[in-house]
Amino acid sequence: MALKILLNGAKGRMGHAIAAAAQDAGAVISAGIDFGDNLAAHVSDCDVIIDFSSHRATAAVLDVAIAQNKPVVIGTTGHAADEKKHLLMQAAKVPCVWAGNFSVGVNLLFALTRHATKVLGADYDTEVIEMHHRFKKDAPSGTAARLLEIILEERKLNAESLRHGRSGITGERQPSEVGVHALRGGDVVGDHTVLYAALGERVELTHKASDRGIFARGAIRAANWVVSQKPGVYDMQDVLGLK
Ligand code: NAD
């Protein structure tokens, strides 16, 4: 039986990408909902709800999912920290995959970064380099921020170790520094490299995104996975068995 997906944010860029990925995966969009439509009216006919809309919609999506006991995949970003804390408690009442990045490759990069940092340790100078298109308004990217969190966790360092770019008489590099470099230009969708450099060798882990379809395909994979899970909040590391 084809998986029936209720898609919230259906008219957006991700909504279109998810509809295409669903078709490729043999799933069906039982209803495509967007701003102003009545989500609750369509829930009984779906196996799972996927939401890539606006952070303002998440509370209502979860209310509907809980009321009808439906699994949910949340890709929407931009929630304030205390708002997200409350929403996560709600989300735990149903099976829910919630991830800021649904790309399978990026999630593998997170896991590889954790492993490499653990193995290589402080002997390997660690730097994160990201590149995005010229229109991006923030830096470093959310994905780079997550990579840095993982590195700091594994090295037992705090955010004071981060070194954003270098200029002038910086002195020799300290072992506790973790460098961060944001490049901007053209139409680059998103490149991330974690570089480990020691005396005599260098390891580089690189992910390059060229199409937002990677997030859509990851969300469909999460939807197929979450329908057979117990209530609770999961992320893509769970979906991919990387924990
Ligand atoms: P978009 O602006 O192109 O589309 C959003 C759509 O949601 C629009 O059609 C809008 O009308 C609709 N919408 C807004 N409020 C709504 C509501 N209350 N109810 C129903 N629909 C509503 O944006 P996008 O690029 O498609 O991104 C959507 C969300 O997904 C953003 O939060 C974005 O940051 C996030 N995103 C997450 C990932 C990931 O991997 N987690 C990847 C890409 C984008």
Side-chain angles (χ1 to χ4, degrees):
M1 278 279 280
L3 185 76
K4 288 191 281 180
I5 297 167
L6 175 56
L7 178 58
N8 196 44
K11 291 185 181 161
R13 282 166 293 193
M14 280 305 299
H16 287 111
I18 286 169
Q23 193 175 17
D24 290 347
V28 294
I29 305 296
S30 57
I33 300 295
D34 206 273
F35 189 70
D37 297 337
N38 183 354
L39 181 70
H42 299 274
V43 178
S44 58
D45 189 35
C46 77
D47 300 315
V48 59
I49 305 171
I50 299 185
D51 177 59
F52 278 73
S53 59
S54 156
H55 63 96
R56 289 185 207 91
T58 309
V61 169
L62 291 175
D63 284 349
V64 165
I66 293 164
Q68 303 223 20
N69 201 22
K70 295 287 182 183
V72 60
V73 173
I74 305 275
T76 302
T77 63
H79 307 89
D82 49 352
E83 177 195 15
K84 186 160 176 185
K85 208 168 147 189
H86 173 71
L87 292 170
L88 285 170
M89 284 188 320
Q90 287 295 97
K93 295 176 182 171
V94 289
C96 173
V97 178
W98 189 318
N101 191 318
F102 274 90
S103 150
V104 171
V106 163
N107 279 278
L108 178 62
L109 178 66
F110 291 154
L112 293 173
T113 296
R114 191 174 290 287
H115 189 57
T117 307
K118 200 178 290 181
V119 171
L120 299 174
D123 287 344
Y124 286 71
D125 300 330
T126 307
E127 308 259 319
V128 172
I129 304 142
E130 57 106 327
M131 180 159 187
H132 285 82
H133 51 85
R134 64 169 69 150
F135 306 107
K136 187 165 174 61
K137 295 184 183 66
D138 57 315
S141 68
T143 300
R146 181 68 194 128
L147 289 167
L148 292 163
E149 256 175 36
I150 291 168
I151 293 162
L152 294 180
E153 275 166 31
E154 289 301 325
R155 293 274 307 274
K156 300 188 175 29
L157 298 170
N158 60 36
E160 280 166 25
S161 292
L162 298 181
R163 198 70 184 261
H164 292 269
R166 289 188 182 83
S167 170
I169 312 297
T170 58
E172 286 185 11
R173 191 188 192 288
Q174 299 302 307
S176 62
E177 283 178 22
V178 178
V180 191
H181 310 278
L183 317 185
R184 292 289 174 268
D187 59 356
V188 176
V189 173
D191 294 355
H192 293 87
T193 293
V194 185
L195 180 150
Y196 302 87
L199 301 180
E201 65 177 351
R202 199 160 78 227
V203 178
E204 294 181 18
L205 303 176
T206 295
H207 176 271
K208 296 187 179 189
S210 51
D211 187 317
R212 67 179 53 245
I214 58 173
F215 308 119
R217 286 191 289 277
I220 297 295
R221 193 159 163 169
N224 273 306
W225 181 86
V226 78
V227 291
S228 55
Q229 302 305 314
K230 292 188 187 127
V233 179
Y234 306 93
D235 63 18
M236 276 305 275
Q237 303 286 305
D238 296 302
V239 174
L240 300 173
L242 292 170
K243 276 191 174 160

